[in-house]
């Protein structure tokens, strides 16, 4: 029986961050990157045809920030089945609590090592 592959959508306005995340995730046999977005508007446009299991969502993006995007993801039909991990450069507890209260499944600092990012994806995918 084939193990299910975790479908990941990366959302960050910085190309370097997206490239780094793509590289880290590409080495994992149980993960596939189904799309990349540079802002929240693109994330919402891509949800239907990429069908991600997990969205890595930057808190600070142009056009629509991560908090607004998270709200809209959770309002969508089947939005409660999409796991969202917030990406941030700062450990701003107020914003992190706000994201968790809206429905984020976790958060990770952008300076985390690759193994922590991969573990966070697997952890939230499993519902923890």
């Amino acid at each position: 029986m084939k193990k299910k592959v975790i479908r990941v959508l990366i959302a960050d306005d910085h190309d370097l961050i997206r490239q780094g995340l793509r590289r880290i995730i590409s080495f994992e046999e149980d993960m596939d990157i189904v799309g990349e977005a540079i802002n929240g508007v693109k994330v919402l446009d891509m949800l239907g045809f990429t069908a991600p299991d997990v969205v890595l969502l930057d808190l600070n993006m142009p056009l629509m920030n991560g908090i607004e995007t998270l709200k809209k993801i959770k309002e969508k039909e089947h939005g409660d089945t999409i796991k969202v991990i917030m990406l941030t450069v700062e450990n701003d507890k107020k914003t992190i609590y706000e994201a968790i209260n809206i429905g984020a499944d976790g958060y990770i600092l952008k300076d985390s090592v690759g193994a922590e990012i991969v573990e966070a994806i697997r952890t939230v995918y499993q519902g923890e």
Side-chain angles (χ1 to χ4, degrees):
M1 188 165 131
K2 189 175 178 182
K3 187 175 181 179
K4 177 152 175 29
V5 174
I6 304 169
R7 299 171 54 82
V8 181
L9 173 64
I10 300 170
D12 196 291
D13 58 321
H14 292 99
D15 188 52
L16 187 60
I17 298 293
R18 288 192 318 276
Q19 286 179 26
L21 290 168
R22 184 182 333 117
R23 184 163 175 82
I24 290 165
I25 294 167
S26 70
F27 289 109
E28 303 304 314
E29 292 181 8
D30 64 336
M31 295 181 194
D32 277 339
I33 298 167
V34 296
E36 296 180 29
I38 61 171
N39 59 55
V41 173
K42 280 289 213 192
V43 170
L44 298 175
D45 289 345
M46 296 176 77
L47 286 179
F49 66 87
T50 60
D53 297 309
V54 177
V55 177
L56 295 176
L57 184 61
D58 184 16
L59 269 171
N60 297 307
M61 296 182 294
L63 299 181
M64 184 183 300
N65 69 31
I67 295 291
E68 294 171 59
T69 305
L70 174 63
K71 286 178 186 174
K72 294 197 178 292
I73 289 171
K74 294 303 178 177
E75 289 170 358
K76 286 191 161 293
E77 183 178 2
H78 307 296
D80 57 336
T81 64
I82 300 170
K83 306 294 184 183
V84 179
I85 300 172
M86 304 306 293
L87 298 171
T88 182
V89 293
E90 297 176 28
N91 196 358
D92 175 13
K93 291 186 185 337
K94 181 182 178 212
T95 305
I96 291 167
Y97 288 136
E98 180 182 8
I100 298 296
N101 286 333
I102 293 168
D105 298 280
Y107 76 94
I108 193 153
L109 298 175
K110 288 185 180 181
D111 65 356
S112 298
V113 296
E116 292 173 328
I117 294 167
V118 167
E119 184 61 28
I121 293 169
R122 287 189 182 114
T123 300
V124 301
Y125 175 73
Q126 294 168 357
E128 298 176 30

